Amino acid sequence: MILLELALIAGLVWAFVHGTLWLLDRPARPALPAPVRWRVTHYDTGGETRVVLQKYGDRGDRVLGQHVVGTIRLDDPDYEVTFLAVMDTARQRRALFEAEEDR
């Protein structure tokens, strides 16, 4: 009977030590990437207006990437119509990019 009790205690001690070592030895979970957002913006350079999507971090203080949607010459006779169409396209792409980031 004493041998059975000693075997049971040894088994419990082994399970406790093995479980503790397993918990301490397992790899840490990788950190989740910081959330990013896209914003539509435009700027004039070299006689044209560039409409771009800028990828920025959650604080919004640093641009992480940029995607040019379109360029419009400043002397284009249909500047306003073209600009509004390109801005609309940029907003659609922003929605698409943000949907992909949320996956």
Side-chain angles (χ1 to χ4, degrees):
M1 186 67 143
I2 291 192
L3 286 176
L4 184 60
E5 290 174 354
L6 286 175
L8 180 63
I9 290 172
L12 289 174
V13 168
W14 178 84
F16 177 76
V17 170
H18 179 70
T20 302
L21 291 176
W22 178 78
L23 286 174
L24 294 175
D25 192 39
R26 66 182 181 171
R29 293 182 183 176
L32 294 175
V36 296
R37 290 288 167 222
W38 292 87
R39 68 176 154 217
V40 177
T41 189
H42 59 89
Y43 54 88
D44 295 339
T45 181
E48 4 178 77
T49 298
R50 289 189 184 176
V51 177
V52 297
L53 286 173
Q54 292 179 337
K55 184 179 189 179
Y56 62 97
D58 59 345
R59 293 187 314 200
D61 58 349
R62 194 171 120 224
V63 175
L64 304 174
Q66 182 169 287
H67 175 77
V68 177
V69 178
T71 58
I72 308 122
R73 301 254 335 134
L74 292 176
D75 59 357
D76 185 351
D78 294 327
Y79 179 86
E80 286 188 35
V81 172
T82 307
F83 176 77
L84 292 175
V86 173
M87 287 293 286
D88 188 46
T89 301
R91 288 185 191 100
Q92 290 172 2
R93 287 190 191 168
R94 178 185 63 190
L96 176 68
F97 290 172
E98 286 184 348
E100 288 176 354
E101 293 284 340
D102 289 339
R103 288 185 185 180

